[in-house]
Amino acid sequence: MQLVDKACKILAVSKPFLLIKVSFADMVLREFGEYFFEFCKRSGYDHMLRTLGGNLYEFIENLDALHSYLSLSYQEMNAPSFRVEKNEDGSMHLHYYSDRRGLCHIVPGIIGAAALDFFNIEISMEIVNQTEEEEEERTGKKEHIVFLVTQNPVFSYKERNDFSSSPQYLADSEKQIENQLNKEDLEKARNTVNGRGNSLCPVKKSHWKTIRGIITLGKGKLLRGFDPVYPKSLWIDTKTFCNGLPFHMVFDKELRVKQAGVSIQKIVPGLQTMGIRLDHYFSIVHPEVPFTISSIQKFINSQFVFQTRREMMPESWKQRPMLELRGQMIWMESLQCMLYLCSPLLRTLHELEERQMHIADIAPHDVTRDLILLNQQRLAEMELSNQLERKKEELRILSKHLEEEKKKTEALLYAMLPQHVANQLKEGKRVEAGEFKECTVLFSDVVTFTNICAQCEPIQIVLMLNSMYLRFDRLTTVHDVYKVETIGDAYMVVGGVPVPVPTHAERVANFALGMIIAAKGVQNPVSGNSIQIRVGIHTGPVLAGVVGEKMPRYCLFGDTVNIASRMESHGVPSKIHLSSSAYQCLKYKNFEMAERGEIEVKGKGKMHTYFLIRNKTATENEIMGRPMRDLDSGHEPVQSFQEVTQTEKDQTPAIAMKYIDGPTDGQNSLKRRNQAKIADLTGKTYDSKSDGNLHGNQHADDGPCPLNRGRVKPATEEPQIRNVRSNFCTLL
């Protein structure tokens, strides 16, 4: 009702119409009733509704039976109840009972739409009585509305729409159609029929039948039935009747049983004593009315459900479920008695067995037998379907768990082997060795590791190495380098293998700087100070492949590996030792390096080597894969550490450092020259993060970068930056 009131406010109509005595809210409910009828048809109930009755009276009479059927599927449904009475002039009185007050105006919309759609007649419905239901007449329903239903002349659909929208139609709908048409109305109806032909009347085989149909409409008749023929005497004996209809009872106005079927006598032994009161052995379940002959007569068109009284059953039967009977009441005026034709209300064979009954107790012509068997088959199919659903759900859960375990297995496998190599091994393929013309290999070890092992418990060594390797493993994710293996305190990684990238040297160099920082957070179990590591880096060609079948490993072979190991072993604590080839790769890549000079390398003779000091443009947080802070905008060198504990830093998720593996060196050189010229002309400098360098690939930013990042050198200094990857954005 709040929804209806809101609709009235939105439509700005709240006062009653001038021509009718119906409020706009009532009109909204009536329109809703018409729409609800169409909605039910579209929802799959069209065929069911059409077969309820051959005329409007039978249609309304069977609405309660339809609701009773639907309540089997929708057990919480609280449907209204309808009772219809014929009048001598052909009109009807429709009694409407509902627990929901204020919705009675939906009924004319539903019934009117059904009459027009199913029976090609237009009706008018007027409320003639509206009362609160009295307890002695009916229980369970709060509102009782009585409608007078009369028939209007039939118009075509177009004429109906045009006519129903006029004010005159709204006024006439309140006054109602007169019982008989006057001559003018009769002439109008005749002209309408002659002009529209068979589209108005269902069957008109002759002129006289057409006139007869008009006269019938004029009298307000709602039915076009036939007159049945009855025999002069009943050609059936009492015994045959009681055997042929095993579930029936005849009782008088005082509810005294006069006759009962054989099966119902078997189920309720007390009925064999004729003259007992019916209400002593049964109670009415539906409709909710008192057990009196007057109440039954008022709802004689409804289906009645009786239930046996437990206290009247034999002592040995009181543990059984009580039997319910469902059927119709027929009033026999000549005998002043009521006939109750019924069937047991049973749905399954289990319910039949619980009441100690058999299929043979039900008459062969009674469809209850078929319903029980069909429902049993349906229940078996439902149980099978439920089993399949349960199995399907179990399979879905198992599949989900299997997928999770598969991901764990793959993650473990990919942690030991490169992904493409692991996929080839899973497929049973042989992994061919591959040659990489240029890559960068790194080795590291712990200074004085042998002395530490001699003075500590093994568990302390394990904890120290685990703490250090967890930090190093996190850095491999930040810089996307491949961890080859660990042997004792030695840690080996490679850049550019197994996926070749042009920035392999920058990645490994930044990784090495991160290792030095991370090692400061690992405690020496002997001295309590931070441990020291040596790092060696070399760039050159390698051969990579999988060796062995038991615990296969992706190994690197070649002189590059030996030289990288020599750089580490000949290194200095807390320093990053570079070979000359690694130095050449990093020479113009914004790294600060210091020359060490020539040293004697075991197995290689004299070699010119260098130390990697810092990255000129990257901050410590970038190198360590931590979230950026405002302090990082000042670009301090990696050696100026913040006063933050290493544990807190390493607990943050790893943020990958961005590298640009793009054009060739010639293209980069041309690109840098253009950038230098443009920067010199505009007088602006740009943030290194937005220029497509190794720290990012965002678009150009027009704002100036911090001062300590430096300006682009003018074009005159172009030879000094040849073959150097630019740190500034591209404007063209």
PDB file of all heavy atoms in Angstrom, residues 678-700:
ATOM      1  N   ILE A 678      66.331  18.817 -27.407  1.00  0.00           N
ATOM      2  CA  ILE A 678      65.038  19.369 -26.996  1.00  0.00           C
ATOM      3  C   ILE A 678      65.132  19.947 -25.602  1.00  0.00           C
ATOM      4  O   ILE A 678      64.618  21.022 -25.311  1.00  0.00           O
ATOM      5  CB  ILE A 678      63.955  18.279 -27.068  1.00  0.00           C
ATOM      6  CG1 ILE A 678      63.716  17.907 -28.523  1.00  0.00           C
ATOM      7  CG2 ILE A 678      62.652  18.742 -26.422  1.00  0.00           C
ATOM      8  CD1 ILE A 678      62.861  16.673 -28.684  1.00  0.00           C
ATOM      9  N   ALA A 679      65.841  19.240 -24.700  1.00  0.00           N
ATOM     10  CA  ALA A 679      65.995  19.750 -23.342  1.00  0.00           C
ATOM     11  C   ALA A 679      66.756  21.068 -23.337  1.00  0.00           C
ATOM     12  O   ALA A 679      66.457  21.971 -22.558  1.00  0.00           O
ATOM     13  CB  ALA A 679      66.707  18.723 -22.470  1.00  0.00           C
ATOM     14  N   ASP A 680      67.746  21.186 -24.238  1.00  0.00           N
ATOM     15  CA  ASP A 680      68.528  22.417 -24.298  1.00  0.00           C
ATOM     16  C   ASP A 680      67.676  23.570 -24.820  1.00  0.00           C
ATOM     17  O   ASP A 680      67.825  24.707 -24.394  1.00  0.00           O
ATOM     18  CB  ASP A 680      69.749  22.194 -25.189  1.00  0.00           C
ATOM     19  CG  ASP A 680      70.664  23.409 -25.179  1.00  0.00           C
ATOM     20  OD1 ASP A 680      71.110  23.777 -24.079  1.00  0.00           O
ATOM     21  OD2 ASP A 680      70.921  23.960 -26.259  1.00  0.00           O
ATOM     22  N   LEU A 681      66.770  23.283 -25.768  1.00  0.00           N
ATOM     23  CA  LEU A 681      65.930  24.334 -26.340  1.00  0.00           C
ATOM     24  C   LEU A 681      64.851  24.780 -25.361  1.00  0.00           C
ATOM     25  O   LEU A 681      64.543  25.963 -25.261  1.00  0.00           O
ATOM     26  CB  LEU A 681      65.282  23.847 -27.639  1.00  0.00           C
ATOM     27  CG  LEU A 681      66.246  23.637 -28.822  1.00  0.00           C
ATOM     28  CD1 LEU A 681      65.503  23.001 -29.987  1.00  0.00           C
ATOM     29  CD2 LEU A 681      66.861  24.960 -29.255  1.00  0.00           C
ATOM     30  N   THR A 682      64.263  23.852 -24.659  1.00  0.00           N
ATOM     31  CA  THR A 682      63.150  24.189 -23.767  1.00  0.00           C
ATOM     32  C   THR A 682      63.620  24.682 -22.415  1.00  0.00           C
ATOM     33  O   THR A 682      62.864  25.326 -21.687  1.00  0.00           O
ATOM     34  CB  THR A 682      62.256  22.961 -23.550  1.00  0.00           C
ATOM     35  OG1 THR A 682      63.046  21.904 -23.003  1.00  0.00           O
ATOM     36  CG2 THR A 682      61.649  22.497 -24.873  1.00  0.00           C
ATOM     37  N   GLY A 683      64.836  24.316 -22.040  1.00  0.00           N
ATOM     38  CA  GLY A 683      65.326  24.727 -20.734  1.00  0.00           C
ATOM     39  C   GLY A 683      64.708  23.965 -19.589  1.00  0.00           C
ATOM     40  O   GLY A 683      64.751  24.408 -18.460  1.00  0.00           O
ATOM     41  N   LYS A 684      64.071  22.819 -19.879  1.00  0.00           N
ATOM     42  CA  LYS A 684      63.416  22.020 -18.847  1.00  0.00           C
ATOM     43  C   LYS A 684      64.148  20.708 -18.665  1.00  0.00           C
ATOM     44  O   LYS A 684      64.724  20.175 -19.592  1.00  0.00           O
ATOM     45  CB  LYS A 684      61.955  21.729 -19.221  1.00  0.00           C
ATOM     46  CG  LYS A 684      61.066  22.962 -19.253  1.00  0.00           C
ATOM     47  CD  LYS A 684      59.640  22.556 -19.582  1.00  0.00           C
ATOM     48  CE  LYS A 684      58.723  23.765 -19.615  1.00  0.00           C
ATOM     49  NZ  LYS A 684      57.339  23.386 -19.942  1.00  0.00           N
ATOM     50  N   THR A 685      64.078  20.216 -17.438  1.00  0.00           N
ATOM     51  CA  THR A 685      64.565  18.871 -17.162  1.00  0.00           C
ATOM     52  C   THR A 685      63.397  18.021 -16.732  1.00  0.00           C
ATOM     53  O   THR A 685      62.378  18.530 -16.266  1.00  0.00           O
ATOM     54  CB  THR A 685      65.619  18.894 -16.040  1.00  0.00           C
ATOM     55  OG1 THR A 685      65.047  19.505 -14.899  1.00  0.00           O
ATOM     56  CG2 THR A 685      66.862  19.648 -16.473  1.00  0.00           C
ATOM     57  N   TYR A 686      63.535  16.686 -16.830  1.00  0.00           N
ATOM     58  CA  TYR A 686      62.406  15.799 -16.628  1.00  0.00           C
ATOM     59  C   TYR A 686      62.770  14.656 -15.698  1.00  0.00           C
ATOM     60  O   TYR A 686      63.910  14.222 -15.639  1.00  0.00           O
ATOM     61  CB  TYR A 686      61.928  15.253 -17.980  1.00  0.00           C
ATOM     62  CG  TYR A 686      61.458  16.346 -18.878  1.00  0.00           C
ATOM     63  CD1 TYR A 686      62.349  16.979 -19.747  1.00  0.00           C
ATOM     64  CD2 TYR A 686      60.150  16.774 -18.825  1.00  0.00           C
ATOM     65  CE1 TYR A 686      61.927  18.010 -20.554  1.00  0.00           C
ATOM     66  CE2 TYR A 686      59.723  17.807 -19.637  1.00  0.00           C
ATOM     67  CZ  TYR A 686      60.618  18.428 -20.503  1.00  0.00           C
ATOM     68  OH  TYR A 686      60.195  19.436 -21.289  1.00  0.00           O
ATOM     69  N   ASP A 687      61.758  14.197 -15.000  1.00  0.00           N
ATOM     70  CA  ASP A 687      61.927  13.112 -14.033  1.00  0.00           C
ATOM     71  C   ASP A 687      62.375  11.846 -14.741  1.00  0.00           C
ATOM     72  O   ASP A 687      61.810  11.453 -15.763  1.00  0.00           O
ATOM     73  CB  ASP A 687      60.584  12.861 -13.320  1.00  0.00           C
ATOM     74  CG  ASP A 687      60.750  11.879 -12.191  1.00  0.00           C
ATOM     75  OD1 ASP A 687      61.886  11.442 -11.968  1.00  0.00           O
ATOM     76  OD2 ASP A 687      59.733  11.567 -11.548  1.00  0.00           O
ATOM     77  N   SER A 688      63.378  11.187 -14.182  1.00  0.00           N
ATOM     78  CA  SER A 688      63.913   9.996 -14.814  1.00  0.00           C
ATOM     79  C   SER A 688      62.911   8.868 -14.824  1.00  0.00           C
ATOM     80  O   SER A 688      63.064   7.924 -15.579  1.00  0.00           O
ATOM     81  CB  SER A 688      65.176   9.536 -14.077  1.00  0.00           C
ATOM     82  OG  SER A 688      64.857   9.203 -12.740  1.00  0.00           O
ATOM     83  N   LYS A 689      61.883   8.960 -13.995  1.00  0.00           N
ATOM     84  CA  LYS A 689      60.910   7.867 -13.959  1.00  0.00           C
ATOM     85  C   LYS A 689      59.981   7.899 -15.157  1.00  0.00           C
ATOM     86  O   LYS A 689      59.329   6.923 -15.453  1.00  0.00           O
ATOM     87  CB  LYS A 689      60.053   7.948 -12.686  1.00  0.00           C
ATOM     88  CG  LYS A 689      60.742   7.407 -11.483  1.00  0.00           C
ATOM     89  CD  LYS A 689      59.750   7.272 -10.357  1.00  0.00           C
ATOM     90  CE  LYS A 689      60.393   6.551  -9.210  1.00  0.00           C
ATOM     91  NZ  LYS A 689      59.428   6.315  -8.148  1.00  0.00           N
ATOM     92  N   SER A 690      59.847   9.029 -15.798  1.00  0.00           N
ATOM     93  CA  SER A 690      58.886   9.147 -16.880  1.00  0.00           C
ATOM     94  C   SER A 690      59.531   9.159 -18.248  1.00  0.00           C
ATOM     95  O   SER A 690      58.907   9.495 -19.232  1.00  0.00           O
ATOM     96  CB  SER A 690      58.062  10.426 -16.692  1.00  0.00           C
ATOM     97  OG  SER A 690      58.924  11.540 -16.682  1.00  0.00           O
ATOM     98  N   ASP A 691      60.794   8.805 -18.326  1.00  0.00           N
ATOM     99  CA  ASP A 691      61.464   8.930 -19.613  1.00  0.00           C
ATOM    100  C   ASP A 691      61.611   7.607 -20.317  1.00  0.00           C
ATOM    101  O   ASP A 691      62.195   7.553 -21.388  1.00  0.00           O
ATOM    102  CB  ASP A 691      62.853   9.561 -19.409  1.00  0.00           C
ATOM    103  CG  ASP A 691      63.774   8.629 -18.654  1.00  0.00           C
ATOM    104  OD1 ASP A 691      63.291   7.635 -18.088  1.00  0.00           O
ATOM    105  OD2 ASP A 691      64.976   8.904 -18.634  1.00  0.00           O
ATOM    106  N   GLY A 692      61.115   6.505 -19.743  1.00  0.00           N
ATOM    107  CA  GLY A 692      61.297   5.209 -20.388  1.00  0.00           C
ATOM    108  C   GLY A 692      62.649   4.614 -20.097  1.00  0.00           C
ATOM    109  O   GLY A 692      63.195   3.867 -20.894  1.00  0.00           O
ATOM    110  N   ASN A 693      63.271   4.973 -18.963  1.00  0.00           N
ATOM    111  CA  ASN A 693      64.548   4.367 -18.624  1.00  0.00           C
ATOM    112  C   ASN A 693      64.302   3.126 -17.803  1.00  0.00           C
ATOM    113  O   ASN A 693      63.207   2.600 -17.732  1.00  0.00           O
ATOM    114  CB  ASN A 693      65.423   5.377 -17.882  1.00  0.00           C
ATOM    115  CG  ASN A 693      64.913   5.624 -16.474  1.00  0.00           C
ATOM    116  OD1 ASN A 693      63.757   5.395 -16.200  1.00  0.00           O
ATOM    117  ND2 ASN A 693      65.782   6.097 -15.605  1.00  0.00           N
ATOM    118  N   LEU A 694      65.283   2.657 -17.126  1.00  0.00           N
ATOM    119  CA  LEU A 694      65.165   1.403 -16.392  1.00  0.00           C
ATOM    120  C   LEU A 694      64.259   1.525 -15.179  1.00  0.00           C
ATOM    121  O   LEU A 694      63.924   0.532 -14.571  1.00  0.00           O
ATOM    122  CB  LEU A 694      66.541   0.887 -15.960  1.00  0.00           C
ATOM    123  CG  LEU A 694      67.378   1.771 -15.012  1.00  0.00           C
ATOM    124  CD1 LEU A 694      67.059   1.478 -13.579  1.00  0.00           C
ATOM    125  CD2 LEU A 694      68.845   1.572 -15.314  1.00  0.00           C
ATOM    126  N   HIS A 695      63.830   2.741 -14.808  1.00  0.00           N
ATOM    127  CA  HIS A 695      62.974   2.882 -13.633  1.00  0.00           C
ATOM    128  C   HIS A 695      61.510   2.998 -13.990  1.00  0.00           C
ATOM    129  O   HIS A 695      60.682   3.015 -13.123  1.00  0.00           O
ATOM    130  CB  HIS A 695      63.365   4.109 -12.816  1.00  0.00           C
ATOM    131  CG  HIS A 695      64.794   4.081 -12.430  1.00  0.00           C
ATOM    132  ND1 HIS A 695      65.336   3.052 -11.704  1.00  0.00           N
ATOM    133  CD2 HIS A 695      65.801   4.944 -12.689  1.00  0.00           C
ATOM    134  CE1 HIS A 695      66.633   3.297 -11.515  1.00  0.00           C
ATOM    135  NE2 HIS A 695      66.924   4.435 -12.105  1.00  0.00           N
ATOM    136  N   GLY A 696      61.140   3.159 -15.194  1.00  0.00           N
ATOM    137  CA  GLY A 696      59.721   3.301 -15.522  1.00  0.00           C
ATOM    138  C   GLY A 696      59.543   3.547 -16.989  1.00  0.00           C
ATOM    139  O   GLY A 696      60.457   3.920 -17.705  1.00  0.00           O
ATOM    140  N   ASN A 697      58.287   3.423 -17.438  1.00  0.00           N
ATOM    141  CA  ASN A 697      57.972   3.608 -18.856  1.00  0.00           C
ATOM    142  C   ASN A 697      56.729   4.446 -19.011  1.00  0.00           C
ATOM    143  O   ASN A 697      55.975   4.272 -19.938  1.00  0.00           O
ATOM    144  CB  ASN A 697      57.794   2.254 -19.549  1.00  0.00           C
ATOM    145  CG  ASN A 697      56.707   1.442 -18.882  1.00  0.00           C
ATOM    146  OD1 ASN A 697      56.193   1.834 -17.849  1.00  0.00           O
ATOM    147  ND2 ASN A 697      56.380   0.314 -19.499  1.00  0.00           N
ATOM    148  N   GLN A 698      56.494   5.398 -18.079  1.00  0.00           N
ATOM    149  CA  GLN A 698      55.320   6.237 -18.190  1.00  0.00           C
ATOM    150  C   GLN A 698      55.539   7.294 -19.253  1.00  0.00           C
ATOM    151  O   GLN A 698      56.631   7.494 -19.768  1.00  0.00           O
ATOM    152  CB  GLN A 698      55.029   6.914 -16.841  1.00  0.00           C
ATOM    153  CG  GLN A 698      54.537   5.949 -15.772  1.00  0.00           C
ATOM    154  CD  GLN A 698      55.672   5.345 -15.001  1.00  0.00           C
ATOM    155  OE1 GLN A 698      56.812   5.471 -15.423  1.00  0.00           O
ATOM    156  NE2 GLN A 698      55.355   4.668 -13.926  1.00  0.00           N
ATOM    157  N   HIS A 699      54.460   8.026 -19.571  1.00  0.00           N
ATOM    158  CA  HIS A 699      54.546   9.098 -20.560  1.00  0.00           C
ATOM    159  C   HIS A 699      55.272  10.296 -19.968  1.00  0.00           C
ATOM    160  O   HIS A 699      55.500  10.400 -18.768  1.00  0.00           O
ATOM    161  CB  HIS A 699      53.135   9.505 -21.002  1.00  0.00           C
ATOM    162  CG  HIS A 699      52.475   8.424 -21.786  1.00  0.00           C
ATOM    163  ND1 HIS A 699      52.898   8.035 -23.032  1.00  0.00           N
ATOM    164  CD2 HIS A 699      51.420   7.616 -21.462  1.00  0.00           C
ATOM    165  CE1 HIS A 699      52.133   7.047 -23.465  1.00  0.00           C
ATOM    166  NE2 HIS A 699      51.226   6.782 -22.540  1.00  0.00           N
ATOM    167  N   ALA A 700      55.591  11.240 -20.819  1.00  0.00           N
ATOM    168  CA  ALA A 700      56.370  12.406 -20.416  1.00  0.00           C
ATOM    169  C   ALA A 700      55.613  13.258 -19.434  1.00  0.00           C
ATOM    170  O   ALA A 700      54.406  13.393 -19.487  1.00  0.00           O
ATOM    171  CB  ALA A 700      56.728  13.223 -21.657  1.00  0.00           C
TER     172      ALA A 700
END
